[in-house]
Amino acid sequence: QVQLVESGGGLVQPGGSLRLSCAASGSIFSINAMGWYRQAPGKERELVAGISSGGSTKYVDSVKGRFTISRDNAKNTVYLQMNSLKPEDTGVYSCSADARSSWYAPTLRSWGQGTQVTVSS
């Protein structure tokens, strides 16, 4: 089983920055794609940023140029650097990882517990 532990959320003023981290642990054979999702108040959960095992990235249009997703494969960790934060960025951010616990196991999507990000003055 793969477990994800998130950190870095909090309360910041508009224009501020936050860096979210999500570390995978447990029985890990390999991790393919990883991503960050956001659940804003009154909105459906959306993929904010994703990164493949090879480092290819994608972002929702609203965060392009402000957010950067990266990963450290040696640490099984994915990061989300958030700059120039806006009130619209407020929400619960959850990380995901598509991982295999062994060569024989199927690839399953694991989720972190979610961390609150609030952008307000």
Side-chain angles (χ1 to χ4, degrees):
Q1 296 182 329
V2 178
Q3 296 175 307
L4 301 178
V5 180
E6 299 158 317
S7 62
L11 173 64
V12 297
Q13 295 185 350
S17 298
L18 281 176
R19 182 176 174 83
L20 305 182
S21 299
C22 176
S25 63
S27 181
I28 302 174
F29 177 74
S30 65
I31 299 178
N32 293 322
M34 303 184 80
W36 287 96
Y37 288 76
R38 178 173 65 198
Q39 180 77 64
K43 302 290 185 178
E44 64 181 6
R45 174 177 287 186
E46 66 176 348
L47 176 66
V48 176
I51 185 168
S52 72
S53 60
S56 297
T57 61
K58 59 182 178 182
Y59 303 89
V60 66
D61 288 342
S62 62
V63 308
K64 288 182 178 178
R66 299 187 298 118
F67 290 12
T68 302
I69 187 171
S70 62
R71 63 191 290 171
D72 185 334
N73 292 330
K75 297 181 179 180
N76 291 324
T77 299
V78 62
Y79 306 93
L80 185 66
Q81 178 66 49
M82 304 184 292
N83 299 324
S84 301
L85 284 163
K86 305 175 181 179
E88 308 93 271
D89 296 319
T90 294
V92 176
Y93 286 71
S94 302
C95 67
S96 68
D98 297 337
R100 303 176 69 177
S101 58
S102 72
W103 188 91
Y104 303 95
T107 298
L108 300 177
R109 177 162 293 182
S110 297
W111 293 89
Q113 76 282 4
T115 184
Q116 177 70 41
V117 172
T118 302
V119 185
S120 176
S121 60

